[in-house]
Amino acid sequence: MTKKTRRRYTAEFKAAAVARLDEPGETLSSVAQALGVAATQVKRLEQQAAGSAEAVARWFSASYR
């Protein structure tokens, strides 16, 4: 039995994948197919990006009180 290696994506790849979702006519499935990854992976990247933005916003609002 062969061991599969995990794919690692650069921050630029992740950002580009999430940015493509905002383009008109792009769907989760179409972006995933174009990038050669599963739709669930693109959805996870989108959720992580949203979480990161929320974390940054919380940090800024807490530090400027």
Side-chain angles (χ1 to χ4, degrees):
M1 187 155 130
T2 60
K3 184 177 178 183
K4 282 189 167 184
T5 58
R6 289 182 74 160
R7 292 191 221 174
R8 298 192 184 258
Y9 302 106
T10 63
E12 292 82 17
F13 177 88
K14 294 175 184 180
V18 172
R20 282 185 76 166
L21 291 173
D22 291 334
E23 294 178 10
E26 290 287 354
T27 64
L28 192 70
S29 298
S30 67
V31 170
Q33 188 174 19
L35 297 175
V37 298
T40 54
Q41 180 64 43
V42 176
K43 183 67 174 173
R44 189 173 298 120
L45 292 174
E46 181 183 33
Q47 291 170 342
Q48 288 173 350
S52 296
E54 290 170 7
V56 169
R58 280 194 309 270
W59 183 83
F60 274 114
S61 66
S63 63
Y64 288 109
R65 285 185 187 181

